[in-house]
Structure formats: structure tokens, C-alpha cells
Amino acid sequence: MKIIYFVCSIVISISCSNSTQNKAKQESKIHQDENSTSTESQNPDSSTWEKNFQEFVNAILEDDREKVKSFFDFPIRSKGNEIWWIADTRFVMEMDQKNIVPFTEDDFDKYYSSIFLIDFRKTLEKLSLGEFFLKEKASSPKMEIVKDSKSILHATFEKTKQKLTLNLSTTINVKGQSNTEFSIYYEFDILKDQKLRFKDVKTNM
């Protein structure tokens, strides 16, 4: 089933043009400015995880890769080499799954666009931060980013575990066949200083 994700990710990546990405950047800045205004009054304390998460969102939408990198500790040692299934499926299929292959900072630079696909960025853009900070859970609208494909992003914060999860769920309609569904879970820990730190990424297909 992991191979299905590989095929789906290629379809999504190839189908999105540079002009779409540029438009998304312009729209995202407007959208995030609106969210910044609404959430600032709800969360005046700049030391909270909400403020740090908003910085992460802005960095993703503005394609500030160095800023995004600051939320990661390298090398990443992903159980089952899950991050490699997202980054490079051909390479991971050659790995011994009993051995964890470290995902380095150089790997992050090389596979950035594979880890944060356009469907992740566009659904994140439409996630209401005000609602998320208030209810500790929120979802983006379900969006057709690629023809015959719909994606939705679910955000949850578990206060007792100090854990934040972004779940990107995508359904692809294949003509004459049953729908193909897959999810990617981006997991973050909230540290004692309320900073956001990437923990792991998992797939479910």
C-alpha cells in the first residue's frame, strides 16, 4: 500500500504549476494576516505554543525554508523510516526496514517539496488558526487541488500530552475503480518553553 502513496504523490506534485504556487503565496499572506489579527487578542502571551505555531505556518506559506528548518532537530530518526516513504519511495524500498536510516539536514533540503506537498501547503493556508487556538482542533475545507483529488487538513492539540498533530487526508478518485485514500500525520511536541518541535511523520494508507 505504500507504493500507492508514491504514485499519488507523484501525480499531485506534477499536476501543480509554478503559477499556482505563486498565487497561493499571495493569498496565504492575506489569509494569515487576517488570522494574526483574530488570534492576537485571544493569545496575547507571545510565549505560548500558539504564537510559535503561527510562525511555523507563516514560514511554510512564505516558503521560508530556513525558518521551517528551525522547528526540526537533525538527523531525524523516524521509526520504520516513515519519513523516507514520503521523501523518496524508490530509495526506501531498497532499505532494510529493521535499520533506521537517519534523515539529515541535507536530505531535508533535497526533499523539502516532497515532505511539504502543495496540497499540504494549500490546506494549511485555509486552516482557521483562530478556531484552532480556541477549540484546540480545526479542519480546513475539503479542497480539490488536483483534478479528481480532494484533500483536507485536520489540526489537533492534545494538552495533556503537549502534542500537536497535522493530519493531511487525501482521496483520489480513479475512474472505474474504488477511491484511493491516504493520510500523512505530522507530529510535533510542545517543549517546556512552549516551542514547537517536530517529532515524527507517519503515513496511513
Side-chain angles (χ1 to χ4, degrees), residues 8 11-12 118-120 122-123 140-154 167-174 179-184:
C8 294
V11 171
I12 291 172
I118 186 65
D119 50 345
F120 174 81
K122 287 184 72 67
T123 52
S140 72
K142 185 173 287 188
M143 303 171 62
E144 184 175 11
I145 300 168
V146 178
K147 185 179 179 181
D148 296 326
S149 170
K150 289 190 176 181
S151 295
I152 185 171
L153 184 70
H154 304 286
N167 170 17
L168 176 66
S169 179
T170 300
T171 301
I172 296 180
N173 300 318
V174 182
N179 294 346
T180 298
E181 298 182 3
F182 66 90
S183 295
I184 304 175

Side-chain angles (χ1 to χ4, degrees), residues 52-64:
N52 201 230
F53 177 68
Q54 188 166 2
E55 292 175 0
F56 171 76
V57 172
N58 290 341
I60 289 286
L61 299 184
E62 294 169 6
D63 199 27
D64 186 346

Side-chain angles (χ1 to χ4, degrees), residues 2 5 56 72 76 78-79 82-86 115-117 120 152-156 158 163-170 181-189 197-205:
K2 298 282 189 182
Y5 167 74
F56 171 76
F72 289 72
I76 299 168
S78 183
K79 185 177 180 180
E82 288 278 353
I83 195 168
W84 282 105
W85 282 105
I86 299 173
I115 298 170
F116 299 114
L117 291 167
F120 174 81
I152 185 171
L153 184 70
H154 304 286
T156 56
E158 298 176 70
K163 176 182 175 182
L164 189 153
T165 303
L166 298 174
N167 170 17
L168 176 66
S169 179
T170 300
E181 298 182 3
F182 66 90
S183 295
I184 304 175
Y185 300 86
Y186 302 84
E187 299 180 349
F188 296 84
D189 286 329
R197 185 66 70 231
F198 174 83
K199 180 181 180 182
D200 204 356
V201 60
K202 298 178 181 177
T203 58
N204 181 24
M205 288 155 271

